[in-house]
Coordinates of all heavy atoms in Angstrom, one line a residue:
M638 N 103.1 87.0 95.4 CA 103.5 86.5 94.1 C 104.5 87.4 93.5 O 104.8 88.5 94.0 CB 102.1 86.7 93.3 CG 101.1 85.6 93.6 SD 99.6 85.8 92.9 CE 98.8 86.8 94.0
K639 N 105.2 86.9 92.6 CA 106.4 87.6 92.0 C 106.2 87.8 90.5 O 105.8 86.9 89.9 CB 107.7 86.9 92.5 CG 107.9 86.8 93.9 CD 109.4 86.3 94.2 CE 109.6 86.4 95.6 NZ 109.5 87.7 96.3
A640 N 106.8 88.8 90.0 CA 107.1 89.0 88.6 C 108.6 89.3 88.4 O 109.1 90.1 89.1 CB 106.2 90.1 88.0
T641 N 109.1 88.9 87.2 CA 110.4 89.3 86.8 C 110.4 90.1 85.4 O 109.7 89.7 84.5 CB 111.2 88.0 86.6 OG1 111.3 87.4 87.9 CG2 112.7 88.3 86.1
W642 N 111.3 91.2 85.5 CA 111.3 92.0 84.2 C 112.8 91.9 83.9 O 113.7 91.9 84.6 CB 111.2 93.5 84.6 CG 109.7 94.0 84.8 CD1 109.1 94.6 84.1 CD2 109.1 93.8 86.1 NE1 107.8 94.9 84.6 CE2 107.8 94.3 85.8 CE3 109.3 93.1 87.3 CZ2 106.8 94.3 86.9 CZ3 108.4 93.1 88.3 CH2 107.1 93.8 88.1
I643 N 112.9 91.5 82.5 CA 114.3 91.3 82.0 C 114.4 92.6 81.1 O 113.8 93.0 80.2 CB 114.4 90.1 81.0 CG1 114.1 88.9 81.9 CG2 115.7 90.0 80.4 CD1 114.2 87.6 81.1
L644 N 115.5 93.3 81.6 CA 115.9 94.6 80.9 C 116.5 94.5 79.7 O 117.1 93.5 79.4 CB 116.7 95.5 82.0 CG 116.1 95.5 83.5 CD1 117.1 96.3 84.2 CD2 114.7 96.1 83.4
P645 N 116.6 95.5 78.9 CA 117.2 95.4 77.5 C 118.7 95.1 77.6 O 119.2 94.4 76.7 CB 117.1 96.9 77.0 CG 115.8 97.4 77.6 CD 115.9 96.9 79.1
D646 N 119.5 95.3 78.7 CA 120.8 94.9 78.7 C 121.0 93.6 79.5 O 122.1 93.1 79.7 CB 121.6 95.9 79.7 CG 121.1 96.0 81.2 OD1 120.2 95.1 81.6 OD2 121.6 96.9 81.9
G647 N 119.8 92.8 79.6 CA 119.9 91.5 80.1 C 119.8 91.2 81.5 O 119.6 90.0 82.0
R648 N 119.9 92.4 82.3 CA 119.6 92.2 83.8 C 118.3 91.7 84.1 O 117.3 92.2 83.2 CB 120.0 93.4 84.4 CG 121.5 93.7 84.7 CD 121.9 95.0 85.5 NE 121.2 96.1 84.9 CZ 120.5 97.0 85.4 NH1 120.4 97.0 86.8 NH2 120.1 98.0 84.8
E649 N 118.2 91.1 85.2 CA 116.7 90.7 85.6 C 116.4 91.3 86.9 O 117.2 91.4 87.8 CB 116.6 89.2 85.7 CG 116.8 88.4 84.5 CD 116.7 86.8 84.7 OE1 116.1 86.4 85.8 OE2 117.1 86.1 83.8
V650 N 115.2 91.8 87.1 CA 114.8 92.3 88.4 C 113.5 91.6 88.8 O 112.5 91.5 87.9 CB 114.6 93.9 88.5 CG1 115.9 94.5 88.4 CG2 113.8 94.4 87.3
T651 N 113.3 91.2 90.0 CA 112.1 90.6 90.5 C 111.5 91.3 91.5 O 112.2 91.8 92.4 CB 112.5 89.1 90.9 OG1 113.1 88.4 89.7 CG2 111.3 88.4 91.4
H652 N 110.3 91.5 91.5 CA 109.5 92.3 92.7 C 108.4 91.5 93.0 O 107.6 90.7 92.2 CB 109.1 93.6 92.1 CG 110.3 94.5 91.9 ND1 111.1 95.0 92.9 CD2 110.8 95.0 90.7 CE1 112.1 95.7 92.4 NE2 111.9 95.8 91.2
D653 N 107.9 91.7 94.3 CA 106.5 91.2 94.8 C 105.4 92.0 94.1 O 105.6 93.2 93.9 CB 106.5 91.3 96.3 CG 107.4 90.3 97.0 OD1 107.6 89.3 96.5 OD2 108.0 90.9 98.0
V654 N 104.4 91.3 93.6 CA 103.3 91.9 93.0 C 102.1 91.3 93.8 O 101.8 90.1 93.7 CB 103.2 91.6 91.5 CG1 102.0 92.4 91.0 CG2 104.5 92.0 90.9
A655 N 101.3 92.2 94.4 CA 100.0 91.8 95.0 C 99.0 91.4 94.0 O 98.9 91.9 93.0 CB 99.6 92.9 96.0
E656 N 98.1 90.5 94.4 CA 97.0 90.0 93.5 C 96.2 91.3 93.1 O 95.8 92.1 94.0 CB 96.3 89.0 94.3 CG 95.1 88.4 93.3 CD 94.5 87.2 93.8 OE1 94.7 86.8 94.9 OE2 93.7 86.6 93.0
G657 N 95.9 91.4 91.9 CA 95.0 92.5 91.4 C 95.8 93.7 91.0 O 95.3 94.7 90.5
T658 N 97.1 93.7 91.4 CA 97.9 94.9 91.0 C 98.4 94.7 89.5 O 98.7 93.6 89.2 CB 99.2 95.0 92.0 OG1 98.7 95.1 93.3 CG2 100.1 96.2 91.7
N659 N 98.5 95.7 88.8 CA 99.0 95.6 87.5 C 100.5 95.7 87.3 O 101.1 96.5 88.3 CB 98.2 96.5 86.5 CG 98.6 97.9 86.5 OD1 99.8 98.3 86.3 ND2 97.6 98.8 86.8
L660 N 101.1 95.1 86.5 CA 102.6 95.0 86.4 C 103.1 96.4 86.0 O 104.4 96.8 86.5 CB 103.0 94.2 85.2 CG 102.7 92.6 85.5 CD1 103.4 91.8 84.5 CD2 103.1 92.3 87.0
M661 N 102.5 97.3 85.5 CA 103.0 98.7 85.2 C 103.2 99.4 86.5 O 104.2 100.0 86.9 CB 102.0 99.5 84.3 CG 102.4 101.0 84.1 SD 101.9 102.2 85.5 CE 100.1 102.3 85.1
Q662 N 102.3 99.3 87.5 CA 102.3 100.0 88.7 C 103.5 99.6 89.5 O 104.3 100.4 90.1 CB 101.1 99.6 89.6 CG 99.8 100.3 89.2 CD 98.7 99.7 89.9 OE1 98.3 98.6 89.9 NE2 97.9 100.6 90.7
V663 N 103.8 98.3 89.5 CA 105.0 97.9 90.2 C 106.3 98.3 89.5 O 107.2 98.6 90.3 CB 104.9 96.3 90.5 CG1 106.2 95.6 91.0 CG2 103.6 95.9 91.1
A664 N 106.3 98.2 88.3 CA 107.4 98.7 87.5 C 107.8 100.1 87.8 O 109.0 100.5 88.1 CB 107.2 98.4 85.9
V665 N 106.8 100.9 87.7 CA 106.9 102.4 87.9 C 107.4 102.6 89.4 O 108.3 103.4 89.6 CB 105.7 103.1 87.5 CG1 105.8 104.6 88.1 CG2 105.5 103.1 86.1
A666 N 106.8 102.0 90.4 CA 107.0 102.2 91.8 C 108.5 101.8 92.1 O 109.1 102.3 92.9 CB 106.1 101.4 92.6
N667 N 109.0 100.9 91.2 CA 110.4 100.3 91.6 C 111.4 100.9 90.5 O 112.5 100.5 90.5 CB 110.4 98.8 91.5 CG 109.7 98.3 92.7 OD1 110.3 98.2 93.8 ND2 108.5 97.8 92.4
G668 N 110.9 101.9 89.7 CA 111.8 102.6 88.9 C 112.4 101.7 87.7 O 113.6 101.9 87.4
I669 N 111.7 100.9 87.3 CA 112.3 100.0 86.2 C 112.3 101.0 84.9 O 111.3 101.4 84.4 CB 111.4 98.8 85.9 CG1 111.5 97.9 87.2 CG2 111.8 98.0 84.6 CD1 110.7 96.6 87.1
R670 N 113.5 101.0 84.5 CA 113.8 102.0 83.3 C 113.0 101.4 82.0 O 113.1 100.3 81.8 CB 115.2 102.0 83.0 CG 115.8 103.3 83.9 CD 117.2 103.4 83.4 NE 117.3 104.2 82.1 CZ 118.4 104.6 81.5 NH1 119.6 104.3 82.0 NH2 118.5 105.1 80.4
G671 N 112.4 102.3 81.3 CA 111.8 101.9 80.1 C 110.2 101.6 80.3 O 109.6 101.5 79.3
I672 N 109.8 101.5 81.6 CA 108.3 101.5 81.8 C 108.0 102.8 82.4 O 108.4 103.1 83.5 CB 108.1 100.3 82.7 CG1 108.6 99.1 82.2 CG2 106.4 100.1 83.0 CD1 107.9 98.5 80.9
I673 N 107.3 103.6 81.7 CA 106.9 105.0 82.1 C 105.5 105.1 82.8 O 105.2 105.6 83.7 CB 106.9 105.9 81.1 CG1 108.6 105.9 80.6 CG2 106.6 107.4 81.5 CD1 108.8 106.6 79.3
G674 N 104.4 104.4 82.1 CA 103.1 104.4 82.5 C 102.6 105.9 82.6 O 101.8 106.2 83.5
E675 N 102.7 106.6 81.5 CA 102.4 108.1 81.5 C 101.0 108.3 81.8 O 100.6 109.3 82.4 CB 102.8 108.5 80.1 CG 103.0 109.9 80.0 CD 103.7 110.3 78.6 OE1 104.9 110.2 78.5 OE2 103.0 110.5 77.6
C676 N 100.0 107.4 81.3 CA 98.7 107.7 81.3 C 98.1 107.1 82.7 O 96.9 107.1 82.9 CB 97.8 107.2 80.1 SG 97.7 105.4 80.2
G677 N 98.9 106.5 83.4 CA 98.5 106.0 84.7 C 97.7 104.7 84.6 O 96.9 104.4 85.6
G678 N 97.6 104.1 83.5 CA 97.0 102.7 83.2 C 95.6 103.0 82.6 O 94.9 102.1 82.6
S679 N 95.5 104.1 82.0 CA 94.2 104.4 81.2 C 94.1 104.0 79.9 O 93.2 104.3 79.1 CB 93.7 105.7 81.5 OG 94.5 106.6 81.0
L680 N 95.2 103.2 79.4 CA 95.2 102.7 78.0 C 95.2 103.8 77.0 O 94.6 103.7 76.0 CB 93.9 101.8 77.9 CG 94.0 100.6 77.0 CD1 95.2 99.7 77.3 CD2 92.9 99.6 77.1
S681 N 96.1 104.9 77.3 CA 96.2 105.8 76.2 C 97.6 106.3 76.0 O 97.8 107.4 75.5 CB 95.3 107.1 76.5 OG 95.6 107.5 77.9
C682 N 98.7 105.5 76.4 CA 100.0 106.0 76.2 C 100.9 105.0 75.6 O 101.8 105.3 74.8 CB 100.6 106.5 77.5 SG 101.0 105.3 78.6
A683 N 100.7 103.8 75.9 CA 101.7 102.6 75.3 C 103.0 102.7 75.9 O 103.9 102.2 75.3 CB 101.5 102.5 73.8
T684 N 103.3 103.6 77.0 CA 104.6 103.6 77.5 C 104.9 102.6 78.6 O 105.8 102.6 79.3 CB 104.8 105.0 78.1 OG1 104.0 105.2 79.2 CG2 104.7 106.1 77.1
C685 N 104.0 101.7 78.6 CA 104.1 100.6 79.6 C 104.2 99.2 78.9 O 104.1 98.1 79.5 CB 102.8 100.4 80.6 SG 101.3 100.1 79.6
H686 N 104.6 99.3 77.6 CA 104.8 98.2 76.7 C 105.8 97.1 77.2 O 107.0 97.6 77.6 CB 105.2 98.7 75.3 CG 105.5 97.7 74.4 ND1 106.5 97.9 73.3 CD2 105.1 96.4 74.1 CE1 106.5 96.8 72.5 NE2 105.7 95.9 73.0
V687 N 105.5 96.0 77.3 CA 106.4 94.8 77.6 C 106.1 93.8 76.6 O 105.0 93.7 76.0 CB 106.2 94.2 79.0 CG1 106.5 95.3 80.2 CG2 104.7 93.7 79.3
V688 N 107.1 92.9 76.4 CA 107.0 91.7 75.6 C 106.9 90.5 76.5 O 107.9 90.2 77.4 CB 108.2 91.6 74.7 CG1 108.1 90.2 73.8 CG2 108.2 92.7 73.7
V689 N 105.8 89.8 76.6 CA 105.7 88.7 77.6 C 106.6 87.5 77.1 O 106.7 87.3 75.9 CB 104.2 88.2 77.6 CG1 104.0 87.0 78.4 CG2 103.3 89.3 78.1
D690 N 107.4 86.8 78.1 CA 108.2 85.8 77.7 C 107.3 84.7 77.0 O 106.2 84.4 77.5 CB 108.8 85.4 78.9 CG 109.9 84.3 78.6 OD1 111.0 84.8 78.4 OD2 109.7 83.1 78.5
P691 N 107.8 84.1 76.0 CA 106.9 83.2 75.3 C 106.5 82.0 76.2 O 105.3 81.5 76.0 CB 108.0 82.6 74.2 CG 108.9 83.7 73.9 CD 109.1 84.4 75.3
A692 N 107.1 81.7 77.3 CA 106.7 80.6 78.2 C 105.5 80.9 78.9 O 104.7 80.2 79.4 CB 107.9 80.3 79.1
W693 N 105.1 82.3 78.9 CA 104.1 82.9 79.8 C 102.9 83.4 78.8 O 101.8 83.7 79.4 CB 104.4 84.0 80.8 CG 105.3 83.5 81.8 CD1 106.6 83.2 81.8 CD2 104.7 82.9 83.1 NE1 107.0 82.6 83.0 CE2 105.9 82.4 83.8 CE3 103.6 82.9 83.6 CZ2 105.7 81.9 85.1 CZ3 103.4 82.3 84.9 CH2 104.5 81.8 85.6
A694 N 103.2 83.4 77.6 CA 102.3 84.2 76.7 C 100.8 83.6 76.6 O 99.9 84.3 76.7 CB 102.9 84.2 75.2
E695 N 100.8 82.2 76.7 CA 99.5 81.7 76.6 C 98.7 82.0 77.9 O 97.5 82.2 77.7 CB 99.7 80.1 76.4 CG 98.5 79.6 75.9 CD 98.7 78.0 75.6 OE1 99.7 77.6 75.0 OE2 97.6 77.2 75.7
R696 N 99.3 81.8 79.0 CA 98.6 82.1 80.2 C 98.2 83.5 80.3 O 97.0 83.8 80.8 CB 99.5 81.8 81.4 CG 98.9 80.9 82.4 CD 99.8 80.4 83.5 NE 100.9 79.5 83.1 CZ 101.6 78.9 83.8 NH1 101.6 79.3 85.1 NH2 102.7 78.2 83.4
V697 N 99.1 84.4 79.8 CA 98.6 85.9 79.9 C 97.6 86.2 79.0 O 96.7 86.9 79.3 CB 99.9 86.7 79.6 CG1 99.5 88.2 79.6 CG2 100.9 86.5 80.7
G698 N 97.6 85.6 77.8 CA 96.7 85.8 76.7 C 97.0 87.0 76.1 O 97.8 87.7 76.2
P699 N 96.3 87.2 74.8 CA 96.5 88.3 73.9 C 95.8 89.5 74.3 O 94.9 89.5 75.1 CB 95.8 87.7 72.5 CG 94.8 86.8 73.0 CD 95.2 86.3 74.4
P700 N 96.2 90.6 73.8 CA 95.6 91.9 74.1 C 94.1 91.9 73.4 O 93.9 91.2 72.4 CB 96.5 93.0 73.4 CG 97.1 92.2 72.3 CD 97.3 90.8 72.7
E701 N 93.2 92.7 73.9 CA 91.9 92.7 73.3 C 91.6 94.2 72.9 O 92.1 95.1 73.6 CB 90.8 92.2 74.4 CG 90.9 90.8 74.5 CD 89.9 90.2 75.5 OE1 89.0 91.1 76.0 OE2 90.0 89.1 75.9
G702 N 90.8 94.3 71.9 CA 90.1 95.6 71.6 C 91.1 96.8 71.7 O 92.1 96.8 70.9
F703 N 90.9 97.8 72.5 CA 91.6 98.9 72.4 C 93.2 98.7 72.8 O 93.9 99.3 72.2 CB 91.1 100.0 73.4 CG 91.5 101.4 73.0 CD1 91.3 101.9 71.9 CD2 92.1 102.1 74.0 CE1 91.7 103.2 71.5 CE2 92.5 103.5 73.7 CZ 92.4 104.0 72.5
E704 N 93.4 97.9 73.6 CA 94.8 97.6 73.9 C 95.5 97.1 72.6 O 96.7 97.5 72.4 CB 95.0 96.5 74.9 CG 96.5 96.2 75.3 CD 96.8 95.0 76.3 OE1 95.8 94.6 76.9 OE2 97.8 94.6 76.4
D705 N 94.9 96.4 71.8 CA 95.4 95.9 70.7 C 95.8 96.9 69.7 O 96.8 97.0 69.1 CB 94.4 94.9 70.0 CG 94.9 94.1 68.9 OD1 96.1 93.9 68.8 OD2 94.1 93.4 68.2
D706 N 94.9 97.9 69.6 CA 95.1 99.1 68.8 C 96.3 100.0 69.3 O 97.2 100.4 68.5 CB 93.8 100.0 68.8 CG 92.7 99.3 68.1 OD1 92.9 98.4 67.3 OD2 91.5 99.7 68.2
M707 N 96.3 100.1 70.7 CA 97.4 100.9 71.2 C 98.7 100.4 71.1 O 99.7 101.1 70.9 CB 97.2 101.0 72.8 CG 95.9 102.1 73.1 SD 96.3 103.8 72.5 CE 97.7 104.3 73.4
L708 N 98.9 99.1 71.0 CA 100.1 98.4 70.9 C 100.8 98.7 69.5 O 102.0 98.8 69.4 CB 99.9 96.9 71.0 CG 100.0 96.3 72.4 CD1 99.5 94.9 72.6 CD2 101.5 96.4 73.1
D709 N 99.8 99.0 68.6 CA 100.4 99.5 67.4 C 101.2 100.8 67.4 O 102.0 101.2 66.5 CB 99.4 99.6 66.2 CG 98.8 98.1 65.9 OD1 99.7 97.2 65.9 OD2 97.7 98.1 65.5
M710 N 101.0 101.6 68.4 CA 101.7 102.9 68.6 C 102.9 102.7 69.6 O 103.5 103.7 69.8 CB 100.7 103.8 69.2 CG 99.6 104.1 68.3 SD 98.4 105.3 69.1 CE 97.0 104.7 68.4
A711 N 103.3 101.6 70.0 CA 104.3 101.4 71.0 C 105.6 101.8 70.4 O 106.0 101.3 69.2 CB 104.4 100.0 71.5
D712 N 106.5 102.7 71.0 CA 107.7 103.1 70.4 C 108.6 102.1 69.8 O 109.2 102.2 68.9 CB 108.4 104.0 71.6 CG 108.0 105.4 71.5 OD1 107.4 105.8 70.7 OD2 108.5 106.2 72.4
A713 N 108.7 101.2 70.7 CA 109.7 100.1 70.4 C 109.3 99.0 69.4 O 110.2 98.1 68.9 CB 110.1 99.3 71.8
G714 N 108.1 99.1 68.8 CA 107.7 98.3 67.9 C 107.1 97.0 68.4 O 107.6 96.4 69.4
R715 N 106.0 96.7 68.0 CA 105.3 95.6 68.5 C 105.8 94.2 68.2 O 106.3 94.0 67.1 CB 103.8 95.6 68.0 CG 102.9 94.7 68.4 CD 101.5 94.9 67.7 NE 100.6 94.0 68.4 CZ 99.4 94.2 68.5 NH1 98.7 95.2 67.8 NH2 98.6 93.3 69.1
Q716 N 105.8 93.3 69.0 CA 106.3 91.9 68.9 C 105.1 90.9 69.1 O 104.0 91.4 69.6 CB 107.4 91.6 69.7 CG 108.6 92.5 69.4 CD 109.9 92.1 70.3 OE1 110.2 91.0 70.5 NE2 110.6 93.1 70.7
A717 N 105.3 89.7 68.7 CA 104.2 88.7 68.7 C 103.5 88.6 70.2 O 102.3 88.4 70.2 CB 104.8 87.4 68.4
T718 N 104.3 88.7 71.2 CA 103.7 88.6 72.5 C 103.6 89.9 73.2 O 103.7 89.9 74.3 CB 104.5 87.6 73.3 OG1 105.8 87.9 73.6 CG2 104.4 86.1 72.8
S719 N 103.7 91.1 72.6 CA 103.6 92.3 73.2 C 102.4 92.5 74.0 O 101.2 92.1 73.5 CB 103.7 93.5 72.2 OG 105.1 93.6 71.8
R720 N 102.4 93.2 75.1 CA 101.1 93.6 75.9 C 101.5 94.9 76.5 O 102.6 95.4 76.7 CB 100.9 92.6 77.0 CG 100.3 91.2 76.6 CD 99.0 91.2 76.0 NE 98.0 91.9 76.7 CZ 97.3 91.4 77.7 NH1 97.1 90.1 77.8 NH2 96.3 92.2 78.5
L721 N 100.4 95.6 76.8 CA 100.6 96.9 77.8 C 100.5 96.4 79.1 O 99.5 95.8 79.5 CB 99.5 97.9 77.4 CG 99.6 98.4 75.9 CD1 98.5 99.5 75.6 CD2 101.0 99.0 75.8
S722 N 101.6 96.6 80.0 CA 101.7 95.9 81.2 C 100.7 96.6 82.2 O 100.4 96.0 83.2 CB 103.1 96.0 81.9 OG 103.6 97.3 81.8
C723 N 99.9 97.7 82.0 CA 99.0 98.3 82.9 C 97.7 97.2 82.7 O 96.8 97.4 83.6 CB 98.6 99.6 82.6 SG 97.9 100.0 81.0
Q724 N 97.7 96.5 81.7 CA 96.5 95.6 81.6 C 96.8 94.2 81.9 O 95.9 93.3 81.9 CB 96.1 95.5 80.1 CG 95.7 97.0 79.5 CD 94.7 97.7 80.3 OE1 93.6 97.2 80.5 NE2 95.1 99.0 80.7
I725 N 98.0 94.0 82.6 CA 98.2 92.6 83.1 C 98.1 92.7 84.6 O 99.0 93.3 85.3 CB 99.7 92.1 82.7 CG1 99.9 92.2 81.3 CG2 100.0 90.8 83.3 CD1 101.3 91.8 80.7
R726 N 97.0 92.2 85.1 CA 96.8 92.2 86.6 C 97.3 90.9 87.3 O 97.0 89.8 86.7 CB 95.4 92.4 86.8 CG 94.9 93.7 86.6 CD 93.4 94.1 87.1 NE 93.2 95.4 86.7 CZ 93.4 96.5 87.3 NH1 94.3 96.4 88.3 NH2 93.2 97.6 86.8
M727 N 97.9 91.0 88.4 CA 98.5 89.7 88.9 C 97.4 88.9 89.4 O 96.4 89.4 90.0 CB 99.4 90.1 90.1 CG 100.2 88.9 90.7 SD 100.9 87.9 89.5 CE 102.5 88.3 89.5
R728 N 97.4 87.7 89.1 CA 96.6 86.7 89.7 C 97.4 85.4 90.0 O 98.5 85.3 89.3 CB 95.5 86.5 88.8 CG 95.8 86.2 87.2 CD 94.6 85.9 86.4 NE 95.2 85.1 85.2 CZ 95.3 85.4 84.0 NH1 95.0 86.8 83.7 NH2 95.8 84.7 83.0
P729 N 96.8 84.5 90.7 CA 97.7 83.4 91.1 C 98.4 82.5 90.0 O 99.5 82.2 90.1 CB 96.7 82.4 91.9 CG 95.7 83.5 92.5 CD 95.5 84.4 91.4
D730 N 97.7 82.4 88.9 CA 98.4 81.6 87.9 C 99.4 82.3 87.1 O 100.0 81.7 86.2 CB 97.3 81.0 86.9 CG 96.6 82.0 86.0 OD1 96.2 83.2 86.7 OD2 96.4 81.8 84.9
L731 N 99.6 83.6 87.4 CA 100.6 84.4 86.8 C 101.9 84.6 87.7 O 102.8 85.2 87.4 CB 100.2 85.8 86.4 CG 99.1 85.8 85.2 CD1 98.7 87.2 84.9 CD2 99.5 85.0 84.0
D732 N 101.8 84.0 88.9 CA 102.9 84.1 89.9 C 104.1 83.5 89.2 O 104.2 82.3 88.7 CB 102.6 83.3 91.0 CG 103.6 83.3 92.1 OD1 104.4 84.3 92.1 OD2 103.6 82.6 93.1
G733 N 105.2 84.3 89.0 CA 106.5 84.0 88.6 C 106.6 84.5 87.1 O 107.6 84.2 86.3
I734 N 105.6 85.1 86.6 CA 105.6 85.7 85.1 C 106.9 86.5 84.9 O 107.5 87.1 85.7 CB 104.4 86.6 85.0 CG1 104.4 87.1 83.6 CG2 104.4 87.8 85.9 CD1 103.1 87.9 83.2
V735 N 107.3 86.2 83.5 CA 108.5 87.0 83.2 C 108.2 87.8 81.9 O 107.5 87.4 81.0 CB 109.6 85.9 82.6 CG1 110.9 86.6 82.1 CG2 110.1 85.0 84.0
V736 N 108.5 89.0 82.0 CA 108.4 89.9 80.8 C 109.7 90.6 80.5 O 110.4 90.8 81.3 CB 107.2 91.0 81.2 CG1 105.8 90.3 81.5 CG2 107.7 92.0 82.2
H737 N 109.7 91.0 79.3 CA 110.9 91.7 78.7 C 110.6 93.1 78.5 O 109.5 93.5 77.8 CB 111.4 91.1 77.3 CG 111.7 89.6 77.5 ND1 113.1 89.1 77.6 CD2 110.9 88.5 77.6 CE1 113.0 87.8 77.7 NE2 111.6 87.4 77.8
V738 N 111.5 94.0 78.9 CA 111.3 95.5 78.7 C 111.9 95.7 77.3 O 113.2 95.6 77.1 CB 112.0 96.2 79.7 CG1 111.8 97.8 79.4 CG2 111.4 95.9 81.0
P739 N 111.2 96.2 76.3 CA 111.8 96.4 75.0 C 112.8 97.6 75.1 O 112.6 98.5 75.9 CB 110.6 96.8 74.2 CG 109.5 97.1 75.0 CD 109.8 96.5 76.4
E740 N 113.8 97.6 74.1 CA 114.7 98.7 73.9 C 113.9 99.9 73.5 O 113.1 99.7 72.6 CB 115.6 98.3 72.9 CG 116.9 99.1 72.8 CD 118.0 98.6 73.7 OE1 118.4 97.3 73.5 OE2 118.5 99.4 74.4
S741 N 114.1 101.1 74.1 CA 113.3 102.2 73.7 C 114.2 103.4 73.4 O 115.4 103.3 73.6 CB 112.4 102.6 74.8 OG 113.0 103.0 75.9
Ligands
FES796 FE1 99.3 104.1 79.6 FE2 99.5 101.4 80.1 S1 100.2 103.1 81.3 S2 98.7 102.4 78.4

């Protein structure tokens, strides 16, 4: 399965993402600038913030509970389809997902 990150300068990068892997892990492993994943995915840093492309937002779904609170602390400012990418786990219906890396 694949995911695409659109960088602040408009460039697109696509990587393979195994089922069950979260998008933060793949972004960090591939050195995508702007995705830091400081807390390792334990929902306490908000440095993995992405804005889900509107075409995918419904399928990905909204943040819940603590993620919702953490998003308010995202450096780049929260947008309507913001999510913390450590909480987006790849599954078959997300194959091809597109997310935007916010300007930080
Ligand atoms: Fe820290 Fe996602 S990696 S909240």
Side-chain angles (χ1 to χ4, degrees):
M638 289 174 270
K639 293 193 183 298
T641 295
W642 287 257
I643 300 180
L644 308 180
D646 65 6
R648 280 184 304 134
E649 296 184 12
V650 289
T651 299
H652 292 291
D653 291 318
V654 184
E656 184 165 5
T658 304
N659 72 60
L660 294 190
M661 176 278 286
Q662 289 174 294
V663 177
V665 170
N667 288 284
I669 295 179
R670 277 187 70 180
I672 306 290
I673 299 166
E675 202 169 276
C676 74
S679 61
L680 212 48
S681 58
C682 73
T684 64
C685 62
H686 175 209
V687 294
V688 178
V689 176
D690 192 88
W693 288 88
E695 197 174 326
R696 229 174 295 180
V697 175
E701 287 175 12
F703 197 55
E704 180 187 349
D705 199 12
D706 295 338
M707 284 301 296
L708 274 166
D709 289 333
M710 292 177 215
D712 269 355
R715 182 175 186 166
Q716 299 183 38
T718 60
S719 284
R720 291 289 312 264
L721 295 179
S722 59
C723 65
Q724 303 302 306
I725 303 175
R726 285 189 189 283
M727 185 50 91
R728 51 179 204 255
D730 69 317
L731 295 184
D732 186 15
I734 183 175
V735 177
V736 298
H737 301 257
V738 179
E740 193 92 51
S741 54

